[in-house]
């Protein structure tokens, strides 16, 4: 059915997403780990979030307050956390719509405290600690000044500590960097006579440590997005029995021609300021697809058809070499691709891509 539908579509197989989610929830529960469903890569689409709820996930997190507000407005009642360390300017709305936030700045936390006090709510906070990847996170030597301030808050409850690696710096999760969390927790608990129930050890890439038995047993939360949606292909884990094809992109062919593989004329830069490089393979059969960089980067897609090669894309056109494709292709046919993490993020965000759901 999906093979023949036209246009530009992302086919979303809810059963496969549910299967991946259940597999991860089961794996994590064997180690006493609570899975936080991270919804940012699917823009917290309510249909997808609903599947995660039905697969045993009870806590959710998203980087964008807009996504959280959208879910709440749709009647979503589970616990939800603001995942990106917040903007000072979103404190009032964040306290209203989110139960918890991951934080790394005192000034922002002050604002959250003020906002929580004003509406007489307790807001939960998990401190983001720097563990080597050099994105968000407070430094260990700042812990005491943070703790003094946090203990003065009447409407902020410190729930725990978190680290994040593998995003900006590409640092691999390890026993060493995840155990830093355990040391900090012990330090705070003994010095401040406080119980920190949550140790949030990382994202999808940390599942590998878990499977190898190298995650410190004190870690009891992982924040998982990629592995649920793409079975770990982009985070370097391989979710055993997981579906890599829960999201399939279909794009329609709008031109097929045999053309030379090298352009004619003096080569300047392309529409994105890059000087393209061509290899002369003689005359090749090429197809143009009605999809472009406004939707997704061509490098974020893997063709499913044997023999198809992506040559490049401008804003609204993607050019593929189909000389070596053994089945006949015609203008009007749709061809299929699997997106990587960046590709999925872009396709879910593009309003030009129709989302087709296969039932749960
Ligand atoms: C996006 C994100 C995650 C989830 O990452 P995945 O690779 O999708 O599992 C976890 N924690 C933080 C802080 C994030 O920004």
């Amino acid at each position: 059915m999906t093979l023949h539908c036209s246009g530009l579509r992302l086919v979303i197989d809810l059963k496969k997403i549910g299967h991946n989610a259940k597999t991860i929830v089961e794996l994590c529960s064997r180690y006493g780990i609570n899975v936080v469903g991270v919804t940012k890569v699917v823009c917290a689409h309510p249909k997808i979030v609903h599947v995660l709820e039905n697969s045993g996930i009870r806590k959710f997190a998203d980087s964008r307050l807009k996504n959280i507000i959208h879910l709440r407005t749709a009647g979503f009642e589970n616990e939800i956390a603001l995942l990106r360390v917040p903007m000072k300017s979103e404190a009032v709305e964040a306290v209203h719509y989110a139960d918890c936030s991951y934080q790394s700045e005192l000034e922002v936390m002050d604002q959250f405290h003020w906002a929580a006090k004003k509406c007489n709510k307790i807001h939960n906070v998990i401190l983001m600690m720097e563990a080597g990847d050099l994105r968000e996170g407070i430094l260990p030597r700042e812990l005491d000044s943070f703790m003094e301030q946090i203990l003065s808050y009447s409407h902020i409850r410190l729930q725990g500590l978190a680290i994040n690696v593998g995003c900006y710096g590409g640092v691999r999760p390890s026993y060493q960097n995840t155990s830093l969390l355990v040391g900090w927790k012990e330090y705070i608990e003994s010095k401040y006579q406080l119980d920190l129930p949550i140790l949030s050890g990382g994202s999808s890439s940390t599942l590998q440590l878990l499977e190898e038995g190298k995650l410190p047993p004190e870690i009891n939360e992982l924040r998982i997005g990629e592995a649920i949606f793409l079975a770990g292909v982009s985070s370097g884990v391989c979710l055993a029995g997981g579906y890599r094809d829960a999201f399939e992109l279909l794009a329609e062919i709008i031109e097929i021609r045999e053309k030379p593989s090298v352009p004619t004329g003096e080569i300047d830069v392309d529409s994105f300021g890059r000087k393209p490089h061509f290899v002369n393979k003689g005359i090749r059969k090429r197809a143009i697809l009605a999809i472009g960089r406004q939707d997704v980067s061509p490098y974020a897609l893997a063709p499913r058809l044997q023999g198809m090669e992506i040559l490049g894309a401008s804003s609204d056109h993607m050019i593929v070499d189909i000389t070596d494709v053994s089945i006949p292709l015609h203008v009007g046919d749709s061809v299929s691709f699997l997106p990587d993490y960046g590709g999925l993020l872009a396709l879910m965000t593009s309003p030009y891509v129709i989302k087709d759901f296969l039932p749960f």
Side-chain angles (χ1 to χ4, degrees):
M1 180 202 104
T2 51
L3 240 167
H4 295 287
C5 66
S6 60
L8 176 55
R9 293 171 181 272
L10 187 63
V11 181
I12 303 169
D13 191 326
L14 295 175
K15 264 202 195 80
K16 289 181 176 172
I17 295 173
H19 172 89
N20 290 354
K22 272 193 201 118
T23 307
I24 290 167
V25 168
E26 276 160 24
L27 168 71
C28 287
S29 72
R30 283 207 295 281
Y31 294 88
I33 288 174
N34 186 39
V35 174
V36 177
V38 175
T39 54
K40 67 189 185 214
V41 71
V42 291
C43 306
H45 196 293
K47 279 197 174 134
I48 299 176
V49 173
H50 190 63
V51 169
L52 303 188
E53 286 181 294
N54 277 313
S55 309
I57 293 177
R58 289 292 167 264
K59 180 178 171 185
F60 294 78
D62 203 290
S63 299
R64 310 268 169 167
L65 191 55
K66 188 170 177 173
N67 289 347
I68 294 177
I69 295 173
H70 190 188
L71 281 178
R72 285 285 188 240
T73 314
F76 181 83
E77 285 180 345
N78 267 310
E79 182 179 0
I80 189 152
L82 185 56
L83 183 59
R84 178 175 60 191
V85 289
M87 294 182 259
K88 222 172 148 180
S89 59
E90 61 191 357
V92 171
E93 282 188 302
V95 162
H96 187 255
Y97 290 103
D99 305 292
C100 166
S101 55
Y102 296 82
Q103 304 240 5
S104 70
E105 285 288 356
L106 281 176
E107 256 185 271
V108 178
M109 246 187 298
D110 265 344
Q111 195 73 15
F112 269 64
H113 179 243
W114 171 82
K117 199 170 173 183
K118 218 176 114 189
C119 62
N120 199 26
K121 248 188 165 178
I122 301 287
H123 183 77
N124 294 313
V125 163
I126 293 178
L127 285 185
M128 268 292 184
M129 301 292 300
E130 171 58 49
D133 199 53
L134 304 184
R135 205 178 67 181
E136 76 277 36
I138 72 174
L139 303 171
R141 63 176 141 84
E142 299 174 281
L143 257 181
D144 285 314
S145 53
F146 268 74
M147 286 311 301
E148 276 154 34
Q149 182 109 0
I150 289 168
L151 292 172
S152 77
Y153 293 143
S154 53
H155 290 71
I156 296 275
R157 181 192 297 133
L158 183 62
Q159 269 190 318
L161 305 174
I163 59 163
N164 192 63
V165 296
C167 281
Y168 168 73
V171 170
R172 193 196 299 249
S174 64
Y175 180 78
Q176 283 74 18
N177 56 32
T178 46
S179 1
L180 289 172
L181 267 181
V182 182
W184 294 324
K185 172 188 157 88
E186 285 167 357
Y187 172 79
I188 293 174
E189 289 191 333
S190 72
K191 180 159 181 185
Y192 298 96
Q193 303 297 306
L194 209 74
D195 186 31
L196 294 184
I198 297 177
L199 275 193
S200 189
S203 58
S204 293
S205 55
T206 306
L207 285 172
Q208 186 150 16
L209 275 190
L210 186 65
E211 285 193 303
E212 292 167 357
K214 290 183 191 153
L215 192 69
E218 293 87 350
I219 305 291
N220 58 8
E221 176 184 285
L222 289 178
R223 312 173 304 272
I224 309 290
E226 198 275 339
I228 294 175
F229 302 117
L230 298 174
V233 277
S234 299
S235 54
V237 282
C238 181
L239 180 63
Y243 291 107
R244 191 274 169 253
D245 59 351
F247 296 83
E248 180 188 35
L249 174 72
L250 295 174
E252 188 172 325
I253 300 174
I254 52 176
E255 182 188 296
I256 297 180
R257 285 272 173 354
E258 295 205 333
K259 293 186 184 181
S261 32
V262 177
T264 315
E266 206 178 315
I267 293 177
D268 211 343
V269 292
D270 65 17
S271 30
F272 290 83
R274 270 185 286 251
K275 190 146 186 142
H277 175 75
F278 299 95
V279 180
N280 195 350
K281 295 184 183 170
I283 302 286
R284 305 288 290 178
K285 192 172 184 184
R286 299 144 64 98
I288 299 178
L289 310 176
I291 182 172
R293 286 177 184 265
Q294 188 157 24
D295 310 293
V296 66
S297 158
Y299 310 111
L301 302 174
R304 293 196 98 176
L305 265 183
Q306 274 268 306
M308 177 183 285
E309 189 196 348
I310 297 174
L311 297 175
S314 55
S315 309
D316 311 297
H317 302 74
M318 191 164 94
I319 301 136
V320 293
D321 186 322
I322 56 169
T323 317
D324 300 330
V325 173
S326 57
I327 64 162
L329 288 175
H330 309 280
V331 167
D333 285 350
S334 283
V335 291
S336 151
F337 299 86
L338 295 182
D340 67 13
Y341 188 81
L344 179 59
L345 185 68
L347 293 166
M348 283 303 298
T349 307
S350 174
Y352 301 100
V353 178
I354 294 167
K355 280 79 180 173
D356 265 347
F357 290 92
L358 304 183
F360 181 47

